[in-house]
């Protein structure tokens, strides 16, 4: 390959490599990486011979106790044997295959394939594998075929069966190890040679590399293949040792030697059992052993689970995993680097001298003497110095002042010299808790329980001789760029000295956040950290800075601004970073929360801020580094090297349960008898589980996502019937979220909740209401008929009484008067008068008999209503047209006939009298359920509202008559078009029955 092509090829590979997530900073030592130890008390199994990470994110461990998987929270044992099988659970080799399958070598022979979702398939002698011979390793070639190496030969999987292909493979010796390279080639190393199965080829070929024992093949992140032998670590010759651009794999398998994605060399196959060499130090003469220049090796200060290491692996997030005899250890890069001291050190006083050297004193006051350390960043103790350092201050000339327990040092050129303090201060060991020099050149020190002092020509004098200072000793002293001295007190007040003018600030000026723990000047503004928040001085008042979430800005023990304009505050919640834009927004309006980034122990922070003293707890060094003193140690970071925030890990639904029924992932969740649902979910973040936040939502029940914090279980009780969808999400920063697959949940309705049952109940209620209505209507109808029948009988009684009494009596009187008249002479003038009187009486008797006949007439003949209506036209001087009745004629109730006749008669009279009609038309309609009578005229019409009031009682009487027989009367008047009167009577009342009964 020409040089230009090779160079361009290398640049492309380098770009692809650098675009991936960083693994471990080559500039940091092994001790400076973020380390996590997982032991038995954390549930971690010991003695993991092999590790693997499948494409879904699960971390798998092979042990003598069986197969385990880890999500970052819980180690879970996965059973491979069917129930009742008496075989061993011990496993050996693991292999995360393309596509997501996990292949497991069983220690007593055979293999198992674990698929996504937990499906396990066993392969043994019946499937072609050697009996009671463990598989030493698995691999896939560029065509997707699966291979297995055993002591008895090389096997290939055809999808169902394993075939021994040793004779046809082209490899005459026992396979030592496999390697899949970025080009799709499959490599095999034996004790004598290296073989490659090129992508698409049928046989392995010897590449001609000899002297490879002991051998180990591994991939470089740039895509080249490297070989490690006892003579060194080097890339393979020809094109195999050249960079090859490729995508970062989503799976990982363990080994004993490997490059991480930053090119650093890791190995557990060294005399120290763990060695790491920065990529820049790897040369052709590098062996990976402890004797190599620049090698970093295991030490007890790392705090690992055990020195007895077994295998290592880089996961897809760039974390390095090391399995040991008793647990697991992870190493990863973090923004903050912890400073490793030989012994435990706490309470750090940070300061930088005029030569750019960073120092820290300690104040542990333990069995080990406190020292003064130069931070390179590796701590180097200052020879000959022992003593507790409780405060440190860089003077205007670059020299350093150090305060201790009753002691004060002035350090010039790295040589501290004792400075005398008042005799009683040294004798009592009074703590020097703050030192500073103001713009007037006055040096101030704060002595605990003694107060504030100033250095004078003749020694130290109380600050009260300068101004009216509080009697308390300030916890912190800050000199602003104008030379003014700010003194913060634990009673929550501040004193500011400008020359000889002292100004006091308290609650009246907005200081309501508790004890003052830090003061700083950021961008010309005075910022104060208190126990319960952060405030900014606007020249007159202190304005509180809003925190989101609440409590993030509590107990800020140090505030600095880095060279890139960002502001850093170290408090009880961790290190809070304000971007330059966010801090500008804070200055504009402190009451509006802004987005900040919080660095915790997962980012390398040494725990919460150290409280009380030494203060301040943050130092911005001239080289750009920031130093942080925490309750768990000392750490530093370079703001210019900001690692990308971790991506939210995949979220999976672990299981769902209702009552005693557990639904496995992928199985439909149908709730029938038990409506209480529990869903367990998790995030696959084995390398960085801490700091994850979860939320979930059951669509159909939850209107929005429910914040779960670190909880990984959702509980619902008494869910109503319906279709639901459950989803869970995870995030590190609360902004970027990863989502699980949806889980469909069906809650079956109970019998009384089903739609059919509800419809049936509604129908039954409707039927009952209808039956009750019918019963009520029938009862009212019977009562009305009974009342009509009573009226009819009353008429008969009156007729009978008239006939038997009045008419009979009148008849008798007529007969007697007729006899008296017959006795008179015909010429008698009184006889003629008497006979005329008798004739008149007989006429009245006939008329009375006719009236009685009318009372007794039942009008039961068909057409009697029409006949009576027809006579109306004869009695009135108005043309009346009776239309032929419609419908099937039926016998009518006599009382109804009388009332209808009266109503129609009144309507005809109104038409003639008020409407000046020239004709009237009457129509009778016989319907199945009602009798309807229409009276229409062609008159002028009238106002029905006016006609119904005043002295006009015709319409009122008509409506009353209609109401007495259960009918409804409607009168419609149309000006110049006449009046239409409609009378409708229910058929159950209008039509006659054979028998009338009195209701109970």
């Amino acid at each position: 390959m020409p040089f230009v092509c090779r160079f361009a090829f290398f640049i492309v590979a380098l770009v692809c490599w650098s675009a991936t997530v960083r693994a471990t900073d080559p500039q940091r030592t092994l001790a400076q990486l973020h380390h996590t130890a997982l032991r038995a008390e954390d549930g971690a199994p010991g003695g993991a011979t092999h590790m693997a990470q499948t494409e879904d994110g699960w971390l798998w461990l092979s042990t003598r106790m069986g197969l385990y998987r880890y999500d970052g929270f819980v180690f879970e044992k996965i059973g491979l044997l069917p129930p009742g099988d008496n075989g061993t659970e011990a496993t050996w080799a693991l292999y995360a295959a393309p596509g997501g399958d996990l292949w497991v070598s069983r220690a007593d022979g055979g293999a198992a394939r674990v698929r996504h979702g937990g499906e396990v398939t066993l392969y043994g002698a019946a499937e072609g594998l050697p009996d009671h011979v463990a598989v030493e390793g698995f691999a896939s070639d560029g065509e997707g075929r699966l291979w297995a190496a055993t002591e008895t030969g090389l096997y290939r999987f055809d999808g169902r069966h394993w075939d021994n292909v040793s004779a046809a493979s082209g490899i005459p010796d026992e396979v030592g190890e496999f390697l899949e390279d970025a080009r799709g080639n499959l490599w095999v190393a034996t004790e004598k040679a290296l073989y490659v199965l090129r992508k698409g080829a049928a046989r392995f070929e010897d590449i001609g590399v000899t002297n490879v024992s002991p051998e180990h093949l591994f991939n470089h992140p740039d895509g080249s293949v490297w070989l490690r032998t006892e003579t060194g670590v080097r890339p393979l010759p020809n094109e195999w040792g050249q960079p090859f651009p490729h995508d970062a794999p989503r799976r990982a398998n363990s080994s004993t030697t490997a490059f991480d994605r930053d090119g650093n060399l890791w190995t557990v196959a060294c005399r120290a059992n763990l060695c790491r060499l920065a990529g820049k130090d790897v040369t052709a003469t590098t062996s990976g052993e402890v004797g190599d220049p620049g090698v970093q090796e295991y030490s007890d200060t790392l705090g690992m689970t055990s020195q007895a290491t077994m295998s290592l692996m880089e996961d897809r997030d760039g974390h390095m995993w090391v399995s040991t005899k008793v647990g697991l250890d992870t190493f990863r890069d973090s923004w903050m680097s912890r400073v490793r001291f030989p012994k435990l050190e706490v309470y750090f006083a940070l300061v930088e001298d005029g030569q750019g050297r960073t120092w820290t004193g300690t104040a542990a006051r333990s069995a080990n003497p406190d020292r003064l350390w130069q931070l390179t960043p590796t701590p180097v103790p200052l020879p000959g110095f022992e003593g507790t350092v409780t405060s440190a201050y860089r003077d205007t000339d670059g020299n350093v002042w150090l305060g201790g327990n009753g002691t004060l040092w002035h350090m010039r050129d790295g040589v501290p010299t004792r400075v005398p303090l008042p005799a009683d201060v040294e004798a009592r060991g009074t703590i020097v808790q703050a030192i500073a020099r103001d713009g007037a050149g006055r040096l101030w020190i704060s002595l605990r329980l003694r107060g504030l002092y100033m250095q004078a020509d003749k020694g130290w004098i109380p600050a009260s001789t300068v101004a009216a200072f509080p009697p308390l000793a300030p916890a912190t002293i800050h000199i602003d760029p104008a030379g003014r001295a700010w003194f913060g007190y634990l009673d929550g007040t501040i004193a500011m000295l400008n020359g000889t003018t002292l100004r006091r600030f308290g609650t009246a000026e907005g200081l309501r956040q508790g004890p003052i723990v830090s003061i700083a000047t950021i961008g010309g503004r005075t910022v104060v950290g208190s126990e319960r928040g952060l405030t900014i001085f606007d020249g007159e008042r202190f304005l509180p800075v809003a925190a989101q979430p609440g409590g993030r800005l509590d107990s800020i023990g140090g505030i600095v601004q880095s060279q890139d304009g960002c502001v850093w505050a170290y408090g009880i919640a961790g290190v809070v970073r304000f971007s330059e834009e966010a801090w500008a927004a804070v200055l504009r309006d402190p009451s509006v929360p802004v987005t900040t980034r919080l660095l915790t122990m997962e980012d390398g922070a040494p725990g919460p801020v150290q409280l009380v003293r030494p203060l301040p707890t943050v130092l911005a060094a001239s080289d750009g580094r920031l130093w942080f003193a925490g309750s768990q140690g000392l750490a530093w970071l370079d703001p210019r090297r900001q690692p990308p925030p971790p991506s939210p890990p995949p979220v999976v639904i672990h299981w769902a349960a209702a009552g005693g029924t557990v639904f496995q992932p992928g199985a439909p969740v149908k709730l029938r008898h038990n409506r209480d649902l529990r869903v367990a979910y998790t995030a696959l973040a084995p390398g960085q589980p801490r700091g994850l936040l979860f939320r979930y939502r059951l669509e159909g029940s939850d209107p929005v996502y429910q914040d779960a914090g670190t909880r990984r279980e959702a509980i619902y009780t008494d869910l109503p019937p319906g279709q639901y969808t459950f989803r869970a999400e995870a995030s590190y920063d609360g902004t970027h979220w990863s989502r699980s697959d949806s889980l469909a949940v069906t809650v079956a309705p109970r019998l009384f909740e089903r739609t059919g049952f509800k419809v049936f109940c509604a129908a039954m209620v409707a039927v009952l209401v209808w039956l009750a209505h019918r019963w009520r209507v029938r009862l009212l109808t019977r009562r009305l008929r009974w009342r009509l029948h009573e009226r009819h009988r009353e008429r008969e009684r009156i007729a009978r009484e008239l006939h038997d009494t009045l008419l009979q009596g009148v008849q008798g009187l007529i007969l007697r008067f007729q006899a008296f008249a017959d006795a008179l002479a015909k010429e008698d003038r009184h006889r003629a008068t008497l006979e005329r009187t008798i004739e008149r009486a007989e006429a009245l008797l006939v008329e009375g008999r006719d009236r009685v006949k009318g009372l007794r007439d039942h009008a039961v003949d068909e057409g009697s209503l029409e006949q009576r209506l027809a006579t109306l036209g004869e009695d009135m001087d108005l043309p009346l047209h009776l239309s032929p009745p419609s419908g099937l004629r039926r016998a009518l109730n006599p009382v109804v006939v009388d009332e209808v006749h009266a109503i129609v008669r009144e309507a005809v009279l109104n038409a003639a009298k008020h409407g000046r009609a020239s004709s009237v038309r009457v129509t009778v309609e016989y319907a199945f359920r009602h009798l309807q009578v229409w009276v229409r005229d062609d008159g002028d019409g009238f106002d029905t509202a006016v006609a119904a009031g005043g002295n006009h009682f015709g319409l009122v009487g008509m409506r009353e008559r209609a109401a007495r027989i259960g009918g409804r009367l409607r009168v419609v008047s149309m000006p110049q078009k006449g009046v239409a009167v409609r009378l409708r009577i229910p058929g159950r009342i209008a039509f006659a029955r054979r028998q009338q009964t009195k209701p109970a």
Side-chain angles (χ1 to χ4, degrees):
M1 179 183 294
F3 173 77
V4 175
C5 296
R6 291 187 179 185
F7 180 76
F9 200 54
F10 175 77
I11 294 299
V12 172
L14 185 61
V15 170
C16 296
W17 169 33
S18 62
T20 60
V21 178
R22 295 186 63 85
T24 56
D25 187 356
Q27 299 180 359
R28 300 188 183 186
T29 65
L30 186 60
Q32 293 172 348
L33 299 178
H34 188 283
H35 168 243
T36 302
L38 300 172
R39 299 179 172 85
E41 54 266 30
D42 303 306
T49 56
H50 292 79
M51 299 178 288
Q53 186 178 36
T54 46
E55 292 180 352
D56 55 11
W58 285 101
L59 183 71
W60 301 85
L61 306 171
S62 174
T63 73
R64 296 294 298 175
M65 293 82 70
L67 178 67
Y68 288 81
R69 70 177 183 181
Y70 181 52
D71 60 355
F73 303 93
V74 177
F75 289 91
E76 180 184 6
K77 187 175 182 179
I78 303 299
L80 299 177
L81 302 178
D85 194 300
N86 200 33
T88 179
E89 293 184 315
T91 57
W92 182 241
L94 294 181
Y95 175 65
D101 289 350
L102 177 75
W103 286 88
V104 185
S105 168
R106 299 186 59 224
D108 64 345
R113 178 168 62 179
V114 182
R115 297 200 138 169
H116 181 68
E119 178 186 353
V120 178
T121 305
L122 297 178
Y123 298 88
E127 289 75 26
L129 289 175
D131 196 16
H132 297 291
V133 177
V135 175
E136 297 293 335
F138 299 92
S140 298
D141 60 23
E143 302 300 321
R145 296 172 295 187
L146 187 68
W147 299 74
T150 70
E151 295 179 4
T152 60
L154 187 62
Y155 292 79
R156 189 171 61 199
F157 188 55
D158 63 6
R160 294 185 178 182
H161 191 269
W162 289 90
D163 299 317
N164 191 328
V165 294
S166 301
S169 66
I171 303 175
D173 305 315
E174 180 181 340
V175 173
E177 66 172 351
F178 286 119
L179 178 71
E180 305 165 15
D181 68 13
R183 294 174 169 83
N185 304 321
L186 177 61
W187 294 81
V188 167
T190 68
E191 291 186 353
K192 298 180 180 179
L194 296 179
Y195 298 86
V196 61
L197 178 66
R198 297 177 184 269
K199 185 177 181 179
R203 289 172 56 88
F204 286 87
E205 61 179 277
D206 188 344
I207 67 169
V209 176
T210 58
N211 191 23
V212 296
S213 179
E215 76 293 331
H216 184 71
L217 282 169
F218 49 94
N219 287 309
H220 193 277
D222 65 3
S224 58
V225 181
W226 289 59
L227 174 68
R228 181 190 180 194
T229 66
E230 60 184 4
T231 60
V233 178
R234 63 185 185 277
L236 292 181
N238 303 322
E239 73 273 14
W240 300 299
Q242 299 299 319
F244 185 81
H246 63 286
D247 295 330
R250 299 292 297 169
R251 58 191 176 96
N253 293 287
S254 63
S255 182
T256 57
T257 303
F259 282 113
D260 65 23
R261 63 189 61 186
D262 280 336
N264 306 310
L265 181 65
W266 294 71
T267 181
V268 293
C270 63
R271 289 190 297 273
N273 290 332
L274 177 63
C275 297
R276 175 179 179 265
L277 192 64
K280 62 182 180 60
D281 297 325
V282 178
T283 65
T285 60
T286 298
S287 65
E289 269 294 351
V290 295
D292 289 337
V295 71
Q296 307 153 20
E297 58 187 89
Y298 172 89
S299 67
D300 292 338
T301 59
L302 293 178
M304 291 182 60
T305 55
S306 171
Q307 187 178 359
T309 58
M310 303 188 70
S311 64
L312 60 85
M313 180 188 73
E314 182 187 36
D315 67 15
R316 66 186 188 185
D317 295 318
H319 306 154
M320 294 300 300
W321 291 79
V322 179
S323 67
T324 71
K325 289 288 187 181
V326 297
L328 293 171
D329 293 87
T330 62
F331 295 89
R332 62 178 174 85
D333 197 10
S334 61
W335 200 351
M336 305 181 71
S337 297
R338 295 284 295 274
V339 178
R340 304 284 181 177
F341 290 89
K343 302 293 183 182
L344 177 64
E345 301 289 351
V346 292
Y347 299 111
F348 304 94
L350 292 165
V351 68
E352 183 184 28
D353 63 18
Q355 301 178 19
R357 296 175 297 187
T358 303
W359 302 82
T360 183
T362 61
R365 291 189 291 183
S366 61
N368 300 316
D370 288 306
R371 309 290 297 272
L372 182 62
W373 306 82
Q374 182 182 351
L375 303 174
T376 61
T378 301
V380 178
L382 182 65
F385 182 94
E386 289 187 5
T388 299
V389 180
T390 57
S391 60
Y393 171 72
R394 175 184 172 179
D395 210 338
T396 55
D397 58 3
N399 296 324
V400 174
W401 292 88
L402 304 173
N405 291 354
T407 55
L408 182 66
W409 294 273
H410 185 234
M411 186 170 68
R412 188 192 304 270
D413 297 330
V415 179
T417 304
R418 288 282 297 269
V419 176
L421 289 172
D424 56 342
V425 171
E426 295 184 356
R428 295 180 180 181
T430 302
I431 296 175
V432 180
Q433 54 187 24
I435 310 170
R437 187 184 299 275
D438 63 16
R442 295 169 294 194
L443 184 67
W444 303 87
I445 62 171
S446 173
L447 302 176
R448 183 176 177 269
L449 302 179
R450 290 290 301 271
L452 183 65
Y453 284 78
M454 185 190 76
Q455 189 181 41
D457 295 338
K458 297 181 179 181
W460 300 94
I461 61 175
S464 58
T465 61
V466 179
F469 280 94
L472 299 175
T476 181
I477 305 175
H478 169 67
I479 309 300
D480 66 16
R484 298 176 299 181
W486 296 75
F487 305 89
Y489 296 87
L490 296 181
D491 64 353
T493 63
I494 290 177
M496 187 267 287
L497 182 65
N498 186 6
T500 58
T501 302
L502 185 68
R503 186 177 178 185
R504 302 281 297 275
F505 302 94
T507 56
E509 290 75 28
L511 291 175
R512 299 184 178 90
Q513 286 75 31
I516 307 300
V517 291
S518 63
I519 305 175
T521 301
I522 307 295
R525 300 284 292 274
T526 301
V527 185
V528 176
S530 304
E531 186 176 282
R532 295 188 294 275
L534 197 68
T535 56
I536 296 179
F537 187 57
D538 65 358
E540 295 296 332
R541 295 182 55 82
F542 290 87
L543 306 178
V545 177
Q548 183 67 31
R552 176 167 285 191
L553 300 179
D554 289 353
S555 296
I556 298 297
I559 315 164
V560 298
Q561 187 170 32
S562 55
Q563 295 175 357
D564 58 1
C566 298
V567 175
W568 305 75
Y570 192 13
I572 197 70
V575 178
V576 181
R577 175 184 177 270
F578 294 85
S579 66
E580 188 174 7
E581 295 77 13
W583 186 253
V586 170
L587 296 181
R588 286 193 300 269
D589 188 355
S591 64
V592 178
V594 298
T595 301
T596 59
R597 180 173 179 180
L598 179 66
L599 305 183
T600 64
M601 295 183 68
E602 287 302 300
D603 303 287
V609 66
Q610 69 181 16
L611 300 176
V612 185
R613 70 180 68 85
L615 296 174
T617 57
V618 184
L619 171 68
S622 58
D623 62 358
R625 291 181 180 177
L626 303 180
W627 295 84
F628 301 88
S631 58
Q632 299 294 317
L634 189 65
W636 62 271
L637 66 78
D638 186 348
R640 296 163 297 186
R641 186 193 171 275
Q642 178 182 356
S647 300
V651 182
V652 296
I653 305 297
H654 211 24
W655 50 260
T661 305
V662 177
F663 302 91
Q664 296 301 325
V669 178
K670 296 183 179 180
L671 309 184
R672 298 186 180 277
H673 305 293
N674 193 301
R675 299 283 187 84
D676 297 339
L677 176 66
R678 294 174 57 205
V679 181
Y681 53 86
T682 187
L684 301 183
Q688 196 170 347
R690 296 180 180 87
L692 270 176
L693 301 175
F694 293 93
R695 66 182 185 184
Y696 59 83
R697 181 185 180 191
L698 185 64
E699 296 180 5
S701 176
D702 298 328
V704 296
Y705 275 93
Q706 306 296 314
D707 291 327
T710 59
R711 183 163 48 90
R712 291 174 288 115
E713 185 176 87
I715 299 177
Y716 294 89
T717 59
D718 197 21
L719 286 171
Q723 301 288 336
Y724 302 91
T725 301
F726 180 86
R727 289 185 177 89
E729 296 185 348
S731 173
Y732 284 107
D733 56 9
T735 302
H736 304 89
W737 296 86
S738 60
R739 176 178 294 184
S740 68
D741 293 335
S742 60
L743 175 66
V745 179
T746 302
V747 180
R750 300 184 178 97
L751 175 62
F752 60 85
E753 294 174 327
R754 295 179 180 175
T755 303
F757 182 82
K758 293 179 180 178
V759 172
F760 172 76
C761 291
M764 293 300 298
V765 171
V767 170
L768 292 175
V769 171
W770 180 80
L771 291 176
H773 173 72
R774 294 293 301 168
W775 174 81
R776 179 65 176 169
V777 168
R778 289 177 180 177
L779 178 62
L780 294 176
T781 302
R782 290 175 60 190
R783 289 179 178 177
L784 182 59
R785 285 184 174 277
W786 179 79
R787 287 197 297 268
L788 295 176
H789 185 61
E790 285 295 316
R791 289 182 60 188
H792 184 66
R793 288 191 300 174
E794 182 65 17
R795 292 176 60 176
E796 289 182 339
R797 185 188 66 78
I798 294 173
R800 186 169 54 252
E801 292 293 334
L802 289 175
H803 180 272
D804 294 341
T805 57
L806 179 61
L807 294 181
Q808 293 295 336
V810 171
Q811 181 68 36
L813 288 175
I814 291 173
L815 291 176
R816 292 186 66 180
F817 278 113
Q818 185 64 48
F820 180 74
D822 291 341
L824 294 177
K826 293 182 178 180
E827 295 81 6
D828 191 344
R829 59 183 181 86
H830 294 289
R831 178 174 178 169
T833 301
L834 184 60
E835 286 180 351
R836 287 194 301 271
T837 302
I838 292 173
E839 289 176 359
R840 178 60 180 164
E842 287 178 346
L844 291 175
L845 180 61
V846 171
E847 184 179 354
R849 286 177 176 173
D850 290 341
R851 294 300 179 94
V852 170
K853 181 181 179 181
L855 287 174
R856 298 184 63 88
D857 188 2
H858 289 187
V860 295
D861 297 335
E862 291 186 7
S864 61
L865 175 62
E866 288 80 1
Q867 292 173 1
R868 296 186 64 179
L869 294 178
T871 62
L872 289 176
E874 300 174 1
D875 296 339
M876 299 181 183
D877 189 14
L878 180 69
L880 187 145
H881 304 281
L882 182 64
S883 300
S886 62
L888 180 64
R889 291 180 177 178
R890 301 172 64 180
L892 300 177
N893 192 309
V895 178
V896 172
V897 173
D898 290 342
E899 299 294 346
V900 172
H901 177 267
I903 292 172
V904 173
R905 184 174 183 275
E906 182 67 26
V908 174
L909 288 174
N910 287 336
K913 182 178 181 179
H914 301 289
R916 296 188 294 274
S918 59
S919 65
V920 177
R921 179 173 296 279
V922 179
T923 304
V924 180
E925 299 175 358
Y926 290 89
F928 178 73
R929 295 186 179 275
H930 63 268
L931 172 69
Q932 186 165 277
V933 179
W934 285 92
V935 181
R936 300 181 179 90
D937 64 59
D938 56 358
D940 297 334
F942 56 88
D943 190 344
T944 57
V946 174
N951 298 322
H952 303 282
F953 300 103
L955 290 179
V956 176
M958 293 167 65
R959 287 191 172 94
E960 289 178 349
R961 287 179 181 275
R964 280 200 298 269
I965 57 177
R968 302 182 69 180
L969 185 73
R970 182 183 180 190
V971 180
V972 180
S973 178
M974 298 172 288
Q976 307 304 323
K977 293 183 179 180
V979 178
V981 179
R982 189 195 69 178
L983 173 64
R984 175 177 288 187
I985 307 170
R988 61 182 181 276
I989 299 173
F991 302 130
R993 294 189 177 183
R994 292 182 179 180
Q995 183 178 2
Q996 305 290 344
T997 59
K998 181 179 180 180

